Amino acid sequence: MSQVINNSLKQLGQMLASKQISSVELTQEYLRRIDALNPDINAYITLDKDKTLAQAKAADARIAAGKAEVLTGIPIAQKDIFCAQGWRTTCGSHMLENFIAPYDAYVIKQFDAAGAVNLGKTNMDEFAMGSSNETSYFGGVKNPWDRSRVPGGSSGGSAAAVAARLCAAATGTDTGGSIRQPASLCGFTGLKPTYGLVSRYGMIAFASSLDQAGPMAKSAEDCALMLNIMAGFDEKDSTSVNRPKEDYTRDLNKPLQGLRIGLPKEYFADGLEANVGAVVQAAIEEYKKLGAEIVDISLPNTQLSIPVYYVIAPAEASSNLSRYDGVRYGHRAKEYTDLMDMYCKTRAEGFGAEVKRRILIGTYVLSAGYYDAYYLKAQQIRRLIAQDFTEAFKQCDVIMGPAAPSTAFKIGEKADDPVAMYLQDIYTIAVNLAGLPGMSIPAGFSNGLPVGLQIIGNYFDEARMLNVGHAYQQVTDWHTRMPEGI
Amino acid sequence: MAWEVVIGLETHVQLLTKTKQFSGASTAFGAEPNTQACEVSIALPGVLPVLNKQSVECAIKFGLAIEAEIAPRSVFARKNYFYPDLPKGYQISQYELPVVGKGHLTIQVGNEEKTVRITRAHLEEDAGKSVHGAQEGMSGIDLNRAGTPLLEIVTEPDMRSAAEAVAYAKKLHELVQWIGICDGNMQEGSFRCDVNVSVRPKGSDKLGTRREIKNLNSFKFMQQAIEYETQWQIDTLEDGGKIEQATVLFNPDTGETRAMRSKEEANDYRYFPDPDLLPLEVTEADKTRVKAGMPELPEAMKGRFESNFGLSAYDAATLTASRDVADYFVATVNAGAETKPAANWILGAVSAKLNADEKSIAHSPVSAAQLASLLKRISDNTISNNAAKQVFEAMWAGEGEVDSIIEAKGLKQVSDSGAIEAIIDEVLAANTAMVAEFKSGKEKAFNALVGQCMKASKGKANPAQVNELLKKKLSA
Amino acid sequence: MSLNIQDVQRIAHLARIEISPTEAEATLSKLSGILGLIEQMQAVDTTGIEPMSHSQDVTQRLREDTVTETNRRKDFQAIAPLVEDGLYLVPKVIE
């Protein structure tokens, strides 16, 4: 069994198809591991073994009937941001502590239709606002590589679950780096697709124009299989892009000869930890060996992406989170004198400190007299940032650099300094602002902690990015390394 | 001092759609509370809006009808405020770039025509309803109406009296029904007006501070509310007071307006483009397609009635004041009636009966086809105009079709000259004194003799023939 | 554009979040830090640049006007804080 947990999705699928193992057995193995490790790591907020095993049983019947698809019977962890009918869906918040979702997110429907098994709902920063998972109402998550450190965020629970092999693969969402930064800090492969590729329906909104769901898995190949399930046009999401369905595994084995890799000088400047930079450089050397060409590029507005993001994301969030008013679902204060008091107490009690801060910032930048100076200005600079990428992609096929400026930091280290925390996302945020796809793959270690290499692609160029990641993973074994003690 | 009132209107028109602005929930009126409140209507976490095609068509129709600029690209924005009947904590509306731009509507006040400029019309969604008295100290929230498609139509401050404001509102009310974008049902809230009222010294070109009268859902109340509000503002200013900008409600029981308590604090709606929705595109092809499906507009129809049918401007305007009246007239003409008599009868007898019975023309007991067959019997001399009135009354009362009523009541006109001559001979023989008067030059006696002939024929003789034959006999 | 305690109180009220005077103090210092970060934007000349609301230059798709939703009041109100006779109950709304 210890072998099974490090298997690829493809291998697991073959084992299930050849009846070497049943979905129920595989699921039970993961549930056993969760029982043993989750009390310390805290990767999952909600488990429902009866529901999970019922799905596994159904998957076994489907396999027996010869109707299996690639992911049928494979246990997947779902970030607790996706509404799943009958499952408690908290978004990491006291506000939704007792919210049992009455409908399924598009992503959940897709996994259900594929016959995948929902292993449980993973921990996350409250409403996906954070880079360390420390803002979760349900407690922090420990990084499996060093349990005194954070796993990154906001998809910290999914990240720890993938790293500690507490699931075969997981889903995450990425508004400013919430898939890629934890992938870097926990040493696995995470992909944020092009904005609009994966439907946002049923995915609890943080910043609507930036939020995008994506796979978090051991390898690029696993991510490709996951993305095949997750991507698709959805009539219920106006921003869902209507394009033909793709097979993201189709180009995995293409040679990289002649690939032009752009290295933005701004991604290797001050603020990047030297040892992280060294690991990233070594990975790029590996790509040269694979036949890639290196092109020096510039993304001159990189520094501005943080201020722009911290205007746009809080502005959208302040509005998106207005629906949590204690009227129709979610937390309502126990005592109040009148309607106004009910609103103010409900929201003061239901939201944590970071969420409140962002609501206040967002409310402020949209308020009368400030809109032009903040929100409109940010939307203008957002265009400049996107244009930087357009220019860069005239010279290269993919862009590479670090996914995070440092390795995993200590729990509590930045918890009281929002600005320091926000700087964690310096290399990831611009990609969300431009709506581009980005991924992080394991590229080595620094002092025993994983370091991720970020690959940024042009719009809808996921198949190529996965090819680029997969080629590297054929000649390196960073992605197969597991933390000790799991 | 002489004062002038300045009035602008914002009208919320509920669009005729089966489903809500941004979800597939039904908009049918009168359902049990919250049974038409779907996951989008109640704003569950994670739900998203998708715009209704039909409501966009309605907006385009309206834009075409008021000859407005229709924006090739318009943008949906969020208007943020907390209210229990607003489930998302924001209303999706259009702010900087509305779908319909500047247009105009011509109104008639007395004999004067006046053009009211329309600033804009934008798509938005309705809120739910608060139901009071559910429990002591509590309100109940029904979200069936939440998300219902609305078109908000905003005018320039172009009206100068309550009468003008009401004339505009009535004209708009007819127009939106005419082009089929609203059912016009004011009791159910399908057509609601907010009226901005301010006063200023006559001759001034500066606008006074306005107060907004919210949610007027009858023309009578609108008239009363504006009149009260105008007088209140004048009195306040004349007493040395100042008008504070405010939102006010009209109380139909007292006939007074009063400021709303809940809106005292200054609103800061924090509008910004809704990131869940993309820009709405309306192409020339869209406009052409929508236009092809639109009925002839009242102004065009009025012109056609005047030039093709020879109707007076007044009659043409009255017949095209409502789609139902126009449809009835056109149906009557299409069924073979001559245009002028048809117009006279519809604006005369039919209107009078409808008013008396408080019925709308769409529910007229005498159909357009029945009216046309009645008019045919007048023109072919089967019955006289007077007899026709009796037939009309009988049809109205449901006594049957034109010919059977004529038969049953024996109203057929006598046009046989032999029979008429016989009657005339009898009358002349019995009224020798009158004949003598006539012959001595008293013209009046002739009319008296005609009357006697008609009486003798029990009203059935063709009056024109009686006239002609009598003249001949007396001059013989 | 520096923030003061009154601003924090005003914004918190707009956002309907109760905030005690001590919380307001702590919040003020954190928000000021974040606004300091944001201020960097003001150095950029953005004259004539069209604001970017969406990453893709696409237009709104329209939905056919067909009823697709059924009555799910029972499910939806099972998770509501307070309901009676199918209505969501809130403290009295004053007009």
Side-chain angles (χ1 to χ4, degrees):
Chain A
M1 274 296 187
S2 64
Q3 191 52 46
V4 172
I5 58 161
N6 212 21
N7 278 355
S8 70
L9 294 180
K10 203 164 143 189
Q11 287 168 327
L12 289 176
Q14 282 158 356
M15 288 176 76
L16 287 164
S18 62
K19 314 265 162 64
Q20 274 174 272
I21 194 170
S22 70
S23 173
V24 168
E25 286 165 339
L26 184 62
T27 303
Q28 276 169 337
E29 170 61 11
Y30 279 113
L31 289 173
R32 260 195 300 277
R33 294 182 57 77
I34 292 167
D35 279 343
L37 293 167
N38 196 57
D40 188 41
I41 292 177
N42 201 25
Y44 287 88
I45 291 175
T46 301
L47 295 162
D48 187 332
K49 291 183 183 175
D50 291 344
K51 273 202 183 65
T52 298
L53 287 168
Q55 275 193 314
K57 236 174 135 177
D60 281 331
R62 184 164 163 179
I63 294 166
K67 288 177 179 159
E69 290 176 32
V70 184
L71 290 193
T72 304
I74 294 180
I76 304 290
Q78 299 289 354
K79 185 174 180 178
D80 205 19
I81 200 167
F82 295 104
C83 287
Q85 188 157 357
W87 284 82
R88 183 167 75 131
T89 301
T90 70
C91 220
S93 182
H94 179 38
M95 186 62 89
L96 293 175
E97 188 176 3
N98 298 308
F99 177 73
I100 311 292
Y103 79 105
D104 279 325
Y106 176 85
V107 164
I108 297 291
K109 273 191 186 156
Q110 291 289 96
F111 278 106
D112 283 354
V117 175
N118 183 350
L119 204 44
K121 306 293 288 292
T122 60
N123 206 338
M124 57 183 284
D125 279 299
E126 185 180 5
F127 285 102
M129 297 177 192
S131 305
S132 66
N133 214 107
E134 290 168 289
T135 72
S136 169
Y137 176 74
F138 300 92
V141 175
K142 291 179 180 169
N143 188 320
W145 292 92
D146 175 349
R147 298 193 196 177
S148 69
R149 292 177 189 271
V150 302
S154 67
S155 312
S158 284
V162 173
R165 308 302 194 252
L166 299 181
C167 61
T171 57
T173 62
D174 189 318
T175 304
S178 288
I179 288 175
R180 291 160 289 157
Q181 181 255 15
S184 180
L185 269 49
C186 287
F188 63 91
T189 308
L191 170 67
K192 180 210 98 76
T194 305
Y195 182 83
L197 194 67
V198 178
S199 167
R200 293 184 296 114
Y201 199 83
M203 183 177 117
I204 299 177
F206 160 16
S208 311
S209 76
L210 306 166
D211 296 343
Q212 184 59 207
M216 302 170 80
K218 293 188 285 284
S219 66
E221 181 193 64
D222 284 4
C223 281
L225 291 171
M226 290 280 283
L227 189 59
N228 277 349
I229 304 296
M230 297 173 78
F233 171 62
D234 181 11
E235 287 188 337
K236 287 185 158 184
D237 175 359
S238 295
T239 61
S240 170
V241 181
N242 192 356
R243 51 200 327 272
K245 197 103 174 125
E246 285 183 56
D247 175 7
Y248 293 99
T249 65
R250 69 179 190 273
D251 291 337
L252 283 179
N253 295 310
K254 268 195 176 173
L256 298 190
Q257 198 63 43
L259 178 81
R260 296 173 303 160
I261 296 172
L263 299 184
K265 64 170 190 242
E266 294 80 5
Y267 282 35
F268 298 90
D270 286 352
L272 175 64
E273 266 183 22
N275 43 1
V276 171
V279 170
V280 171
Q281 290 293 356
I284 288 159
E285 288 307 312
E286 201 64 49
Y287 273 103
K288 284 188 193 166
K289 287 185 214 161
L290 290 168
E293 293 165 24
I294 303 303
V295 185
D296 290 324
I297 59 162
S298 174
L299 298 169
N301 291 296
T302 299
Q303 280 298 333
L304 287 166
S305 61
I306 292 200
V308 166
Y309 178 85
Y310 280 97
V311 170
I312 294 173
E316 293 183 6
S318 70
S319 176
N320 283 334
L321 270 61
S322 291
R323 68 189 59 199
Y324 307 106
D325 58 5
V327 175
R328 300 163 313 284
Y329 50 79
H331 177 72
R332 178 189 285 201
K334 284 218 163 52
E335 285 173 18
Y336 41 83
T337 54
D338 57 18
L339 183 64
M340 178 63 83
D341 196 42
M342 185 194 90
Y343 280 148
C344 294
K345 285 207 166 70
T346 294
R347 291 166 61 78
E349 294 168 9
F351 294 134
E354 179 63 19
V355 170
K356 285 187 217 175
R357 268 199 289 278
R358 298 210 195 181
I359 292 175
L360 296 179
I361 286 286
T363 303
Y364 180 66
V365 298
L366 289 175
S367 63
Y370 298 102
Y371 179 86
D372 286 4
Y374 289 123
Y375 190 78
L376 201 68
K377 184 106 186 166
Q379 295 283 50
Q380 288 174 311
I381 301 176
R382 182 180 184 179
R383 187 168 297 280
L384 296 179
I385 291 166
Q387 283 167 354
D388 282 355
F389 284 104
T390 308
E391 286 305 309
F393 281 118
K394 288 176 183 166
Q395 302 167 60
C396 61
D397 303 311
V398 292
I399 293 168
M400 285 189 189
S406 68
T407 53
F409 47 91
K410 291 274 187 190
I411 290 168
E413 191 182 322
K414 301 181 200 284
D416 207 38
D417 186 353
V419 172
M421 187 72 85
Y422 296 174
L423 293 172
Q424 268 294 304
D425 297 329
I426 178 74
Y427 304 129
T428 47
I429 275 177
V431 166
N432 298 80
L433 291 169
L436 290 164
M439 77 192 269
S440 175
I441 62 171
F445 290 84
S446 166
N447 298 322
L449 294 171
V451 172
L453 169 74
Q454 187 175 203
I455 304 168
I456 301 167
N458 213 335
Y459 295 106
F460 303 108
D461 213 7
E462 285 80 2
R464 189 201 315 243
M465 294 159 67
L466 289 160
N467 165 222
V468 170
H470 182 72
Y472 179 80
Q473 290 176 341
Q474 297 311 293
V475 295
T476 59
D477 69 348
W478 307 116
H479 64 291
T480 65
R481 307 277 182 97
M482 284 192 283
E484 279 172 33
I486 62 150
Chain B
M1 195 191 294
W3 296 90
E4 177 178 59
V5 61
V6 176
I7 303 167
L9 264 76
E10 292 169 18
T11 308
H12 289 94
V13 171
Q14 186 181 314
L15 299 175
L16 257 181
T17 62
K18 295 186 190 75
T19 64
K20 296 190 178 178
Q21 191 73 295
F22 299 109
S23 79
S26 171
T27 52
F29 183 82
E32 285 293 300
N34 290 307
T35 55
Q36 289 171 182
C38 69
E39 60 203 38
V40 175
S41 310
I42 68 167
L44 283 178
V47 298
L48 295 169
V50 184
L51 182 60
N52 190 332
K53 188 177 183 177
Q54 187 63 30
S55 70
V56 174
E57 301 229 333
C58 289
I60 298 173
K61 278 184 184 170
F62 181 73
L64 292 170
I66 60 161
E67 296 176 325
E69 305 154 11
I70 295 170
R73 243 172 127 83
S74 61
V75 170
F76 286 91
R78 294 184 182 178
K79 179 182 183 179
N80 294 284
Y81 65 96
F82 287 87
Y83 213 67
D85 64 11
L86 188 71
K88 295 189 291 299
Y90 58 85
Q91 179 196 32
I92 305 177
S93 181
Q94 297 190 298
Y95 185 54
E96 284 186 337
L97 294 169
V99 59
V100 176
K102 289 182 171 63
H104 58 88
L105 202 60
T106 305
I107 59 170
Q108 193 124 18
V109 189
N111 287 326
E112 296 280 301
E113 270 201 353
K114 176 168 182 160
T115 298
V116 175
R117 289 170 299 160
I118 289 170
T119 317
R120 59 184 281 165
H122 64 255
L123 287 166
E124 61 179 32
E125 55 177 348
D126 210 344
K129 275 180 186 163
S130 300
V131 181
H132 301 292
Q135 225 183 62
E136 185 59 28
M138 305 292 265
S139 293
I141 306 297
D142 175 8
L143 298 173
N144 280 349
R145 200 181 66 182
T148 296
L150 298 179
L151 187 68
E152 181 175 337
I153 301 159
V154 183
T155 72
E156 293 292 314
D158 279 353
M159 285 145 284
R160 294 290 176 269
S161 67
E164 285 185 10
V166 169
Y168 163 78
K170 282 185 173 168
K171 179 84 184 226
L172 183 67
H173 185 241
E174 285 304 338
L175 179 65
V176 294
Q177 293 175 82
W178 186 288
I179 60 176
I181 67 167
C182 177
D183 67 13
N185 191 325
M186 295 178 80
Q187 280 74 46
E188 291 176 5
S190 299
F191 188 91
R192 319 193 284 270
C193 296
D194 299 341
V195 185
N196 285 299
V197 178
S198 64
V199 297
R200 63 184 176 192
K202 213 173 174 91
S204 164
D205 54 2
K206 252 175 62 190
L207 290 172
T209 305
R210 66 193 158 95
R211 304 214 313 164
E212 181 180 22
I213 315 170
K214 274 262 177 223
N215 269 337
L216 293 165
N217 63 356
S218 101
F219 299 123
K220 197 175 111 197
F221 294 162
M222 182 186 291
Q223 178 98 25
Q224 290 173 4
I226 295 171
E227 281 167 358
Y228 178 86
E229 177 66 23
T230 307
Q231 199 51 51
W232 182 87
Q233 290 190 18
I234 292 171
D235 291 349
T236 302
L237 292 170
E238 287 190 339
D239 291 349
K242 238 184 93 184
I243 306 295
E244 304 278 348
Q245 189 161 339
T247 305
V248 304
L249 291 175
F250 175 67
N251 182 343
D253 297 329
T254 61
E256 295 175 0
T257 53
R258 68 158 172 87
M260 279 173 87
R261 276 179 282 173
S262 60
K263 302 264 175 167
E264 273 167 16
E265 68 173 281
N267 279 312
D268 184 346
Y269 290 124
R270 289 157 284 138
Y271 283 100
F272 73 106
D274 191 334
D276 287 331
L277 292 160
L278 299 165
L280 170 64
E281 188 181 52
V282 179
T283 63
E284 285 304 316
D286 291 331
K287 285 192 257 179
T288 309
R289 179 177 47 78
V290 170
K291 196 169 193 167
M294 274 174 75
E296 186 180 19
L297 292 172
E299 290 303 315
M301 199 179 263
K302 174 175 174 273
R304 187 164 60 89
F305 287 177
E306 287 179 54
S307 59
N308 295 8
F309 295 168
L311 299 186
S312 71
Y314 181 84
D315 283 359
T318 317
L319 285 171
T320 53
S322 112
R323 173 88 183 265
D324 285 341
V325 173
D327 282 350
Y328 189 95
F329 171 70
V330 170
T332 308
V333 172
N334 287 347
E338 285 172 40
T339 54
K340 278 190 188 170
N344 289 339
W345 273 80
I346 291 166
L347 299 176
V350 177
S351 287
K353 287 298 279 185
L354 289 171
N355 280 341
D357 289 9
E358 289 181 353
K359 281 194 164 98
S360 73
I361 197 157
H363 299 105
S364 168
V366 173
S367 70
Q370 285 176 312
L371 181 65
S373 44
L374 177 63
L375 298 183
K376 235 181 281 174
R377 290 292 168 260
I378 301 171
S379 64
D380 68 10
N381 286 328
T382 308
I383 53 176
S384 66
N385 248 315
N386 276 336
K389 279 177 191 144
Q390 292 179 54
V391 177
F392 179 74
E393 288 287 342
M395 274 202 290
W396 195 274
E399 290 173 22
E401 295 302 319
V402 176
D403 289 341
S404 61
I405 293 170
I406 294 171
E407 195 64 35
K409 294 196 180 285
L411 294 172
K412 206 165 186 171
Q413 196 161 243
V414 177
S415 301
D416 167 13
S417 50
I420 292 174
E421 271 182 67
I423 291 169
I424 292 175
D425 289 342
E426 255 172 58
V427 169
L428 293 181
N431 293 282
T432 46
M434 267 187 221
V435 174
E437 272 180 44
F438 176 76
K439 294 211 162 154
S440 69
K442 285 194 176 166
E443 286 286 323
K444 252 191 189 168
F446 181 78
N447 288 340
L449 286 167
V450 172
Q452 290 297 325
C453 292
M454 291 308 290
K455 199 175 163 188
S457 76
K458 296 189 181 101
K460 287 191 258 182
N462 182 331
Q465 266 178 301
V466 171
N467 253 298
E468 196 185 321
L469 291 171
L470 186 60
K471 236 179 236 167
K472 219 184 266 173
K473 293 236 172 214
L474 287 172
S475 61
Chain C
M1 286 181 238
S2 66
L3 215 57
N4 60 37
I5 281 286
Q6 287 72 39
D7 292 329
V8 173
Q9 295 283 10
R10 179 181 59 84
I11 303 162
H13 181 71
L14 256 182
R16 300 293 185 265
I17 295 174
E18 187 177 75
I19 190 164
S20 69
T22 24
E23 281 174 313
E25 286 290 347
T27 305
L28 174 62
S29 85
K30 293 238 164 69
L31 294 192
S32 297
I34 299 168
L35 286 174
L37 187 75
I38 293 172
E39 282 308 313
Q40 289 178 41
M41 293 195 314
Q42 305 308 332
V44 185
D45 180 8
T46 51
T47 318
I49 297 167
E50 198 198 331
M52 175 171 160
S53 300
H54 295 97
S55 56
Q56 242 71 238
D57 187 25
V58 281
T59 53
Q60 181 62 36
R61 191 159 25 80
L62 301 177
R63 180 177 54 76
E64 289 301 325
D65 185 27
T66 313
V67 176
T68 54
E69 302 304 306
T70 53
N71 173 16
R72 293 193 60 204
R73 183 172 82 179
K74 206 166 151 247
D75 296 344
F76 294 161
Q77 295 199 338
I79 52 170
L82 194 59
V83 288
E84 189 180 273
D85 298 333
L87 296 164
Y88 296 97
L89 292 190
V90 297
K92 199 168 179 66
V93 178
I94 301 161
E95 284 188 330

